[in-house]
Amino acid sequence: MTETNFRTDLDADGVLSIVWDMPGRSMNVLTEDAIRELASLVERVASDEAVKGAVISSGKPGSFSGGADLTMLEGLARLYATEMAKNGEAAAAKALFDGSRQLSLLYRRIETCGKPWVAAINGVCLGGAFELALACHWRIASNDPSTRVGLPEVKVGLFPGAGGTQRVARLLPPGDALQMLMKGEQIRPDKARGMRLVDEVAPKDEMLAKAKAWIVNGGKAVKPWDEKGFKLPGGPVWSKPGFMTFPPANAIYRRETQDNYPAIRAMLQSVFDGLQLPMDLALTVESRQFAKVLRSPEAAAMIRTLFVSMQELNKGARRPKSVPETKLTKVGVVGAGFMGAGVAYVTAQAGIEVILVDRDQDAADKGKAFAEKLISGQVVKGRATGAQRDALLSKITPTADYGALAGCDLVVEAVFEDPKVKAEVIAKVEAAIGPDAIFASNTSTLPISGLAKASSRPDQFVGIHFFSPVEKMLLVEVIVGEKTGDKALAVALDYVRAIKKTPIVVRDSRGFYANRCVIAYMLEGHLMLSEGVPVAMIENVAKQAGMPVGPLSLNDEVALDLGLKIIDATRAQLGDEAVNPAQEKLLRALVETHGRLGRKNRKGFYDYPETGKKSLWPGLADLQDKKLDPETLDVTELRHRLLVAQALEAARTVEEGVVTDMREADVGAILASASRPIPAAR
Amino acid sequence: MSGQHDLVVGGGVESMSRVGLGASGGAWPMDPAIAIKSYFMPQGVSADLIATKYGFTRDDCDAYAVQSQQRAGAAWTEGRFGKSVVPVRDVNDIILLDRDEHMRPDASMQSLGSLKASFAEMGEMGGFDAVATYAHPEIERVNHVHHAGNSSGIVDGAAAVLVGSKEAGEASGLKPRARIKAFANIGSEPALMLTGPVDVTRKVLKRAGMEIGDIDLFEVNEAFAAVVLRYLQAFGLDDARVNVNGGAIALGHPLGATGAMILGAAIDELERSGKETALVTLCIGAGMGTATIIERV
């Protein structure tokens, strides 16, 4: 059989070099075809006497493989559905179990085929591809800056189900293994070697020679765990170290996930059970858990939202196709406050030149200083180099001179939320920029069509709404005003793609999309408080419902007086009926009677001491006319209220045509409330 | 077990100095399939959760512990345990031990105040505080109030009681000291874990056709101060009727022996005081409770 996805070459020493290089793709991915071909190669290595061992590497520059093609799971889902219809649930479950463990069995075959396999890793090697490497008898990684290994499956509601949990937990002590599996991080080569996830790190061009040499010099084709007398690195499960590991791991699972992530729970169970069994049985246990997770609605939803839809939006699903792509080279940011400085930072990070304008040099310099603080923090944490910091900072030019904006492809305005101030800025900017440049307003409260009235070219006027903190939040709302043209929309989307954020395109309306959901969430929290639900219970059930922060904490971050301003504006525009009296009473008492504005003055729903943790303000109890007994409250109902309030508001935005694409409603709702869509274990 | 034997010895021997806590293993804390569902927490964190949920402060718990020590000290001085203490002797019949070693009758609010909460770090670092607030979400954070001085002592001990039918006793020429009126076991909320005495007391009183006011004397095992404080609170009890000669905070809690020990202590006290009825109850790890009502004969 000749392979189309792999190239092979048998050298004089009998080492079969297998180069994974899929045609028509920039990165290798585990597809059904690729797996079938790999399986036949494994049998060739096992049976051909001329072959002493195999080295698998990638023919793609900068990457080994990103892992399995998640659309393969659709095939499994079809198999399950067909069996279910034909032979019932038990047969369907069995078919899914058998089907979903093919990769696991193939990798086990590599491990036990009797001949040594080496994985030579350059670039990213993730998920199912890293599980392949883990099944090999020796792993060598290049020290190239692009090289990363990891098992990020938990990020899409799955877990490493092709032996990953068992091999990692036999290489690392169980506590470290669980942490690595729960975080799903991408790991640099040196760190991976320290963890024993790879055996050696070498320069890219020496890697293959070293891999072959390992085989020629008698590299062993038996894994430690398949030898007699193997001892787990952290000792047996039932031991003092085991007792120090698993009870806290179970508790930390609940703390970090609120028991909302069946994949992480299944992974924990696989490690616990698997470490008490020999390898083949351990892999079977892992497969059972994997099949169960594949059947979970959580996995299906996470794959849909965080993988399929998010990728489609990131690739510009909503971009007008008629407009040629703009490669942005110079972007202006007007207003060097917290938001503007954040925008300047993420723009410079994308390698784009930034002109950062404020009313005087001092204010503009402060904005750049903020960017410097952010990138320096990254350097301290080892996430960026000194050279990267210098390169980023050299891209930002702070100035008070609007004239410097000449030649910008796009100018993003992030000045004070006052139509008069914005109108002045629009006039000054338009006087400076070229006729093709696009003007974008980063507003969260003012309608774009209204602001565009101050523009001399409203078709080149668009809204780009960032979320705070800009450097962390992945979501950007692109707002289409009445007169916004296709070119403006396309440039805005090209820009968002360049800075690696996820855009949703929304129609101009009060609060746009994401903030309306957030506001509905906070309102529900306020109403619960007014009804007499114990305050801590509101915050805790919100987290149990999957929200990253409780509605009251969130309100403290946003500021309580802002909430009151929104109420005033709502009344002015829509009348008394549009204002909830219980919410207004609560916020007026907090802001006007007690001077509690939120985190900004260290007094909100919480008290924020100079040092130590925030704690709920005891005075809140006095703002409740009655107190409900927690034992009489239905926790599930409270959780549902906090979610349904948001879902209902989202449905209204769809009804009103603010959001037209369900992928955007879905992804936007998730990303608006979290800087990272899945929890990570500390 | 009840009715199947004519005469049985009930009791236990515990050597906590030799076999540490948690040494028995078991799936409950370890296996995710059990631990996650049952909200496993170390008992001390559950005890701190009880204190937080029902509003007992560190001072409340310390004051209770001081009282337990003072009562136990006074009881020893007056010889109230005389009938039940069996000295330990060496191979030559020389006495090695003839009194409780764990007591600190001079304990005070000041001396207890200097002790560090034992379960704060475990609760925070081990994730168990989050399990507590998940199970009881009306709590903002767990107030860690328990420490070595207001929790039961980790000690060695042994105790036994003889239980039998009237006929068997008479045939052996034994004189009964008390009659078992009713007993019951119960499963209780596993996260709070140690509130079983409250639930099982309600159950056993109902079975006996009695009310809380019908009981003259209570022995509520002092696993942690908050366990007894919650018991007092739940029934609105005056502590003059509860653990009148101290309890496990002063005397220690040699797990397997404690049931027989406090049953014996209740009988001794009924005889000494001339009262009629006692209720003996203990909490049990993982969320259970057991209670027995006895009458002096």
Side-chain angles (χ1 to χ4, degrees):
Chain A
M1 174 175 165
T2 36
E3 290 80 23
T4 57
N5 295 302
F6 298 89
R7 294 194 306 270
T8 58
D9 177 54
L10 188 63
D11 74 7
D13 294 319
V15 177
L16 185 71
S17 166
I18 302 173
V19 179
W20 189 5
D21 195 357
M22 296 172 82
R25 285 180 186 263
S26 59
M27 199 190 269
N28 294 318
V29 58
L30 285 159
T31 58
E32 282 177 29
D33 262 4
I35 292 169
R36 199 166 33 244
E37 290 182 6
L38 181 61
S40 99
L41 285 169
V42 174
E43 292 317 314
R44 179 179 159 197
V45 171
S47 60
D48 187 342
E49 282 184 16
V51 177
K52 302 287 177 242
V55 174
I56 185 160
S57 62
S58 162
K60 305 292 183 198
S63 72
F64 183 89
S65 163
D69 179 3
L70 286 180
T71 56
M72 265 199 309
L73 297 178
E74 287 168 13
L76 284 171
R78 273 196 302 277
L79 173 75
Y80 183 75
T82 316
E83 272 298 309
M84 179 81 112
K86 258 202 297 195
N87 301 316
E89 188 168 357
K94 179 75 170 62
L96 183 72
F97 169 72
D98 290 337
S100 63
R101 71 176 315 218
Q102 291 310 308
L103 201 58
S104 180
L105 292 174
L106 173 61
Y107 289 174
R108 181 61 176 156
R109 177 76 181 128
I110 290 176
E111 197 168 61
T112 57
C113 76
K115 296 199 180 150
W117 280 69
V118 175
I121 303 162
N122 178 55
V124 293
C125 176
L126 301 174
F130 187 53
E131 289 184 289
L132 166 62
L134 286 168
C136 292
H137 301 95
W138 204 64
R139 288 168 294 284
I140 182 166
S142 82
N143 59 5
D144 194 81
S146 69
T147 299
R148 294 283 186 283
V149 299
L151 298 169
E153 284 89 339
V154 290
K155 294 185 175 174
V156 286
L158 299 174
F159 74 89
T165 66
Q166 299 309 312
R167 294 192 177 93
V168 166
R170 279 165 176 75
L171 288 167
L172 276 57
D176 296 348
L178 287 171
Q179 202 172 43
M180 183 242 169
L181 293 166
M182 281 168 86
K183 279 188 172 176
E185 271 182 336
Q186 300 190 12
I187 302 164
R188 291 164 193 276
D190 281 337
K191 192 178 170 197
R193 186 177 51 186
M195 295 167 80
R196 301 181 57 213
L197 291 170
V198 301
D199 299 290
E200 191 162 333
V201 177
K204 188 162 51 176
D205 47 7
E206 294 170 22
M207 197 175 62
L208 284 174
K210 286 189 180 225
K212 286 183 178 182
W214 186 83
I215 291 174
V216 172
N217 294 332
K220 215 170 172 184
V222 181
K223 280 289 179 62
W225 43 84
D226 287 321
E227 291 191 290
K228 260 208 167 136
F230 170 68
K231 286 191 173 61
L232 290 166
V237 168
W238 297 100
S239 67
K240 200 148 196 178
F243 204 77
M244 300 297 287
T245 302
F246 287 99
N250 293 327
I252 288 167
Y253 159 74
R254 186 180 289 279
R255 181 180 73 194
E256 298 302 321
T257 69
Q258 304 286 322
D259 201 17
N260 285 328
Y261 293 80
I264 298 181
R265 186 164 167 168
M267 185 166 75
L268 184 55
Q269 191 75 51
S270 299
V271 171
F272 176 79
D273 289 338
L275 288 183
Q276 301 176 62
L277 295 167
M279 193 61 172
D280 287 301
L281 278 174
L283 290 171
T284 310
V285 163
E286 184 197 72
S287 294
R288 290 187 193 289
Q289 294 289 346
F290 188 63
K292 185 183 166 198
V293 166
L294 286 182
R295 292 166 71 189
S296 71
E298 287 89 346
M302 285 177 77
I303 291 169
R304 177 203 65 210
T305 307
L306 301 173
F307 182 75
V308 180
S309 297
M310 201 160 140
Q311 210 166 60
E312 285 166 3
L313 297 181
N314 287 345
K315 283 182 179 165
R318 297 293 311 284
R319 193 183 177 284
K321 306 226 168 3
S322 57
V323 185
E325 198 181 317
T326 306
K327 177 127 180 54
L328 294 108
T329 54
K330 188 175 171 187
V331 167
V333 178
V334 182
F338 184 60
M339 286 304 275
V343 174
Y345 171 76
V346 298
T347 308
Q349 206 172 32
I352 300 168
E353 192 188 334
V354 179
I355 306 298
L356 182 57
V357 181
D358 210 316
R359 69 184 62 162
D360 54 51
Q361 188 65 40
D362 221 31
D365 287 343
K366 268 186 197 153
K368 181 167 177 178
F370 178 75
E372 187 168 355
K373 196 178 124 197
L374 289 178
I375 186 68
S376 299
Q378 295 292 309
V379 173
V380 169
K381 285 178 192 154
R383 291 183 190 147
T385 63
Q388 283 169 322
R389 178 193 56 208
D390 296 346
L392 185 147
L393 291 174
S394 74
K395 298 266 181 219
I396 303 175
T397 309
T399 176
D401 174 19
Y402 277 78
L405 293 171
C408 283
D409 307 298
L410 169 76
V411 175
V412 181
E413 160 282 303
V415 299
F416 192 62
E417 290 274 272
D418 177 331
K420 254 194 235 160
V421 177
K422 298 237 189 221
E424 281 170 29
V425 166
I426 293 163
K428 281 189 197 167
V429 170
E430 288 186 351
I433 57 178
D436 290 338
I438 303 298
F439 186 98
S441 176
N442 171 50
T443 176
S444 56
T445 51
L446 303 170
I448 288 298
S449 306
L451 294 175
K453 286 184 184 137
S455 169
S456 57
R457 41 194 187 181
D459 62 318
Q460 283 163 246
F461 197 101
V462 66
I464 298 184
H465 176 209
F466 287 90
F467 292 77
S468 180
V470 177
E471 70 279 8
K472 287 198 182 133
M473 298 298 280
L474 295 172
L475 184 68
V476 171
E477 284 178 323
V478 174
I479 298 124
V480 183
E482 277 165 25
K483 295 186 176 162
T484 302
D486 276 358
K487 164 98 194 282
L489 174 59
V491 169
L493 289 171
D494 290 340
Y495 169 66
V496 175
R497 186 173 185 181
I499 60 171
K500 296 199 171 77
K501 303 229 178 256
T502 297
I504 63 171
V505 178
V506 298
R507 208 194 65 192
D508 193 14
S509 80
R510 276 177 47 76
F512 312 126
Y513 170 70
N515 277 348
R516 280 179 63 171
C517 298
V518 171
I519 286 168
Y521 171 57
M522 292 192 294
L523 169 63
E524 203 61 28
H526 296 155
L527 296 183
M528 285 180 180
L529 194 150
S530 300
E531 288 164 24
V533 177
V535 186
M537 201 167 187
I538 302 170
E539 296 285 270
N540 283 329
V541 299
K543 282 181 240 160
Q544 292 175 7
M547 299 301 291
V549 288
L552 309 179
S553 292
L554 183 60
N555 201 168
D556 275 359
E557 298 298 327
V558 176
L560 271 53
D561 51 331
L562 183 68
L564 214 47
K565 270 184 206 151
I566 293 173
I567 286 180
D568 289 338
T570 307
R571 173 175 286 121
Q573 287 184 21
L574 304 170
D576 277 338
E577 296 285 290
V579 173
N580 187 299
Q583 181 184 39
E584 182 174 12
K585 188 179 159 200
L586 176 67
L587 288 178
R588 283 211 192 284
L590 284 164
V591 174
E592 292 172 1
T593 314
H594 299 283
R596 306 192 70 88
L597 308 180
R599 187 191 273 279
K600 64 180 178 184
N601 77 339
R602 298 185 171 279
K603 293 190 299 182
F605 286 99
Y606 288 80
D607 285 323
Y608 298 83
E610 291 282 345
T611 56
K613 284 181 180 165
K614 67 179 180 180
S615 55
L616 284 163
W617 179 47
L620 290 173
D622 302 329
L623 302 180
Q624 292 182 302
D625 293 335
K626 59 177 173 184
K627 307 259 186 313
L628 299 174
D629 174 2
E631 308 298 324
T632 65
L633 294 170
D634 182 343
V635 170
T636 309
E637 184 184 305
L638 293 177
R639 287 182 205 154
H640 285 174
R641 276 181 63 180
L642 290 164
L643 295 179
V644 168
Q646 298 176 73
L648 200 57
E649 191 63 19
R652 288 193 191 105
T653 64
V654 171
E655 197 174 67
E656 292 162 19
V658 176
V659 178
T660 52
D661 186 320
M662 289 313 111
R663 293 172 297 187
E664 294 182 315
D666 185 21
V667 172
I670 299 279
L671 296 188
S673 57
S675 57
R676 43 184 188 148
I678 72 132
R682 263 170 257 166
Chain B
M1 194 48 200
S2 58
Q4 302 306 303
H5 297 283
D6 299 324
L7 205 57
V8 292
V9 177
V13 182
E14 195 76 49
S15 184
M16 298 178 86
S17 59
R18 294 189 187 178
V19 182
L21 289 171
S24 59
W28 169 43
M30 292 280 283
D31 188 335
I34 311 294
I36 294 171
K37 257 186 218 166
S38 65
Y39 300 100
F40 169 79
M41 284 173 257
Q43 300 196 357
V45 179
S46 278
D48 289 339
L49 171 62
I50 293 169
T52 310
K53 182 174 174 95
Y54 295 107
F56 307 122
T57 63
R58 166 80 184 246
D59 276 359
D60 294 337
C61 293
D62 284 358
Y64 181 79
V66 168
Q67 177 182 285
S68 177
Q69 293 285 3
Q70 289 169 347
R71 286 180 172 186
W76 262 99
T77 309
E78 289 177 28
R80 292 188 186 185
F81 299 125
K83 277 189 197 168
S84 297
V85 171
V86 181
V88 179
R89 293 168 192 275
D90 79 352
V91 289
N92 303 303
D93 219 23
I94 300 168
I95 289 178
L96 292 172
L97 180 69
D98 65 353
R99 61 183 293 112
D100 280 306
E101 291 180 305
H102 186 263
M103 286 192 300
R104 302 280 186 92
D106 58 347
S108 65
M109 291 300 281
Q110 286 71 28
S111 63
L112 294 186
S114 67
L115 295 174
K116 210 176 119 212
S118 302
F119 307 102
E121 199 179 307
M122 194 186 282
E124 167 79 17
M125 308 286 288
F128 301 109
D129 283 356
V131 177
T133 50
Y134 190 103
H136 292 268
E138 76 275 18
I139 288 166
E140 185 181 7
R141 67 172 57 94
V142 178
N143 185 17
H144 291 286
V145 295
H146 288 99
H147 50 74
N150 58 23
S151 308
S152 51
I154 295 174
V155 296
D156 296 348
V161 291
L162 187 63
V163 184
S165 67
K166 189 165 183 251
E167 296 74 22
E170 280 168 355
S172 306
L174 295 168
K175 182 176 169 292
R177 296 175 70 193
R179 188 171 75 87
I180 293 175
K181 190 168 164 85
F183 67 92
N185 294 317
I186 205 166
S188 67
E189 204 284 294
L192 288 172
M193 198 195 299
L194 310 173
T195 48
V198 174
D199 304 298
V200 78
T201 293
R202 292 194 178 115
K203 179 175 171 183
V204 77
L205 286 171
K206 202 173 165 198
R207 287 176 69 86
M210 297 172 81
E211 299 198 357
I212 197 85
D214 299 332
I215 307 291
D216 300 321
L217 190 68
F218 293 85
E219 280 291 332
V220 182
N221 184 39
E222 293 175 352
F224 296 91
V227 171
V228 185
L229 292 173
R230 170 58 191 154
Y231 192 86
L232 295 171
Q233 181 191 57
F235 294 108
L237 280 176
D238 178 354
D239 71 3
R241 287 198 282 158
V242 181
N243 300 350
V244 295
N245 294 320
I249 289 173
L251 302 171
H253 179 12
L255 311 170
T258 304
M261 252 172 67
I262 64 173
L263 184 60
I267 296 170
D268 284 345
E269 179 60 18
L270 286 179
E271 289 175 348
R272 190 197 68 80
S273 62
K275 288 178 179 153
E276 297 301 323
T277 310
L279 189 153
V280 179
T281 182
L282 297 91
C283 56
I284 303 172
M288 285 174 67
T290 185
T292 302
I293 298 174
I294 56 169
E295 285 175 335
R296 186 166 59 85
V297 294

